[in-house]
Amino acid sequence: MILKDRVAIVTGAGSGIGQAGAAIMAREGAHVVVVDRSPEAGSLTVDTIRAMGGKAEAVTLDVTDDAALADGIADILYRHGRIDILHNHAGAQVAGDLEEVEVSGFDRSWNLNVRAHFMAARLVMPSMKAAGRGVIVNTSSSSGVLYDREMIAYTTTKHAVIAMTKQMAGDYARHGIRVNALCPGWVDTPFNDPFIAQMGGRGAIEAYIREKVPLGRWASVDEIAESILFLVSDRSSYMTGQILVVDGGETVV
């Protein structure tokens, strides 16, 4: 098991990619702290992991609440003594162009997709520095490297995540801490519901994917989880400040 006895935090782990990433880390020996604002979703992920023989616990909090996030991470450090892996995955997709998007929606997108990543990384960094090692993965998106039609809040935040990731990586490499970004493309989860509605339904989005994605299909969450495992494990030990795009080839055409 390539993550044996490591302590990992995964935010937004109650469903979708976050859940699959938490499960694969646990499969490989990590003790996974499942962070989600939904107690039911977090507990379901933990139950699934434990049913497979893995180790996990649920922490219910809103990552945009600085005090709750700080208390949660402090408690994890108190109980486990260290944090080896942080996967900042919690995020939101807010649709609309410059004139249509609600300002409150833009602010919510920024706070969840960027600021919460910043705060969680800031809070774990002292313990990682003290240990002389650590891994942070920030979830961006293929929308962080592409134009995404009428999605200004989402694309702005996902581009910002990439810039922030590179900055963190450069600043903390000398402490043995690696920071990379994951950019998933089209993954079949409820996360895409806002864009599906904008496109006119599931049939329309699937036709769009067949046309725009060279592999001609969605990714499964399990396919993205394999990329997460690569980034958080020693398999990527000489990789930092990089952007791993997993999009079926969409960005190459």
Side-chain angles (χ1 to χ4, degrees):
M1 293 188 288
I2 62 175
L3 299 179
K4 184 174 174 57
D5 296 329
R6 297 186 194 180
V7 178
I9 298 174
V10 183
T11 71
S15 63
I17 293 171
Q19 183 179 67
I24 202 169
M25 289 186 215
R27 186 196 76 188
E28 292 298 327
H31 179 95
V32 182
V33 181
V34 172
V35 177
D36 202 276
R37 66 180 180 176
S38 166
E40 295 81 13
S43 294
L44 178 61
T45 298
V46 169
D47 290 345
T48 301
I49 288 171
R50 289 177 176 171
M52 297 186 299
K55 296 179 290 184
E57 63 185 84
V59 172
T60 302
L61 59 84
D62 180 347
V63 294
T64 65
D65 181 334
D66 291 352
L69 184 62
D71 288 347
I73 288 175
D75 183 60
I76 294 164
L77 283 168
Y78 175 76
R79 289 184 292 107
H80 295 286
R82 69 186 196 281
I83 295 167
D84 302 299
I85 297 164
L86 169 65
H87 181 193
N88 280 314
H89 179 69
Q93 195 179 79
V94 178
D97 64 18
L98 176 65
E99 297 170 287
E100 293 172 345
V101 68
E102 295 287 341
V103 173
S104 60
F106 186 94
D107 290 343
R108 180 169 66 89
S109 184
W110 181 267
N111 287 336
L112 184 54
N113 295 353
V114 183
R115 192 178 184 281
H117 290 14
F118 164 84
M119 287 302 301
R122 180 184 178 97
L123 290 163
V124 304
M125 193 58 74
S127 66
M128 288 186 174
K129 284 173 65 178
R133 61 172 294 161
V135 179
I136 297 173
V137 174
N138 297 318
T139 295
S140 176
S141 167
S142 60
S143 299
V145 295
L146 288 172
Y147 159 74
D148 200 347
R149 189 182 75 177
E150 297 174 2
M151 297 287 284
I152 191 169
Y154 190 65
T155 56
T156 297
T157 58
K158 293 304 186 179
H159 277 74
V161 168
I162 289 174
M164 183 171 67
T165 296
K166 291 180 176 180
Q167 188 69 35
M168 288 181 187
D171 287 344
Y172 290 95
R174 66 184 183 274
H175 297 288
I177 298 161
R178 300 189 300 108
V179 189
N180 293 293
L182 174 71
C183 292
W186 292 102
V187 186
D188 195 5
T189 75
F191 185 80
N192 289 301
D193 287 350
F195 195 73
I196 291 173
Q198 184 192 79
M199 291 289 290
R202 188 169 179 93
I205 196 67
E206 289 184 346
Y208 177 88
I209 290 169
R210 285 193 298 271
E211 177 187 356
K212 299 293 186 181
V213 177
L215 287 181
R217 63 173 178 83
W218 304 87
S220 71
V221 292
D222 292 332
E223 288 176 302
I224 305 302
E226 292 289 347
S227 299
I228 293 168
L229 179 61
F230 170 72
L231 290 174
V232 302
S233 73
D234 292 341
R235 291 174 177 172
S236 58
S237 59
Y238 198 57
M239 180 177 173
T240 195
Q242 300 306 305
I243 314 308
L244 183 59
V245 180
V246 189
D247 68 346
E250 185 180 13
T251 55
V252 302
V253 297

